[in-house]
Amino acid sequence: GDEELVRALGADRFVLRDGPLDGGYDGVLDAAVLGAAALAAVRDGGAYAGVIPGASPASERGVRVETQEVAADGELLAELVGLADRGVLTLRVAETYGLEDAAKAHARLQE
């Protein structure tokens, strides 16, 4: 369901979760946490980036495997806020919740 958005953000190729992975991509950002299946899409000597520590597959075929971790950094967060305010970053917000509905927000996240 995200293909239109991803292409609008500049992707020239898009692979569905259960689509064919041909091993011809220079690099893959595995935001869907596909692991080995996403690694298979990377050409020999390419690069794979995961988003969950400990969930990335082991390197093979000379593919560089890295994991991006989230860390608290107020200065960088302020920079991201500025980019979003200027429209440089495209944000997607599914829903907003008041503080009194924090439990509902967590339940939605778990879905």
Side-chain angles (χ1 to χ4, degrees):
D2 291 331
E3 182 173 0
E4 184 177 328
L5 169 68
V6 171
R7 287 189 182 279
L9 293 172
D12 61 347
R13 292 198 272 177
F14 183 90
V15 178
L16 295 172
R17 181 181 294 265
D18 57 353
L21 302 173
D22 62 11
Y25 296 93
D26 293 332
V28 168
L29 169 60
D30 184 11
V33 195
L34 300 176
L39 184 69
V42 181
R43 68 165 173 76
D44 292 358
Y48 166 101
V51 295
I52 297 180
S56 295
S59 177
E60 59 182 53
R61 300 176 289 106
V63 174
R64 187 177 77 243
V65 173
E66 296 185 16
T67 302
Q68 300 301 312
E69 295 186 51
V70 175
D73 187 322
E75 186 175 320
L76 285 176
L77 182 58
E79 182 180 341
L80 289 173
V81 168
L83 291 170
D85 286 346
R86 292 192 307 276
V88 174
L89 286 181
T90 301
L91 302 180
R92 252 180 24 170
V93 178
E95 195 168 344
T96 59
Y97 299 87
L99 185 57
E100 67 278 3
D101 292 324
K104 290 179 186 175
H106 282 278
R108 173 79 189 267
L109 181 61
Q110 287 181 325
E111 291 175 10

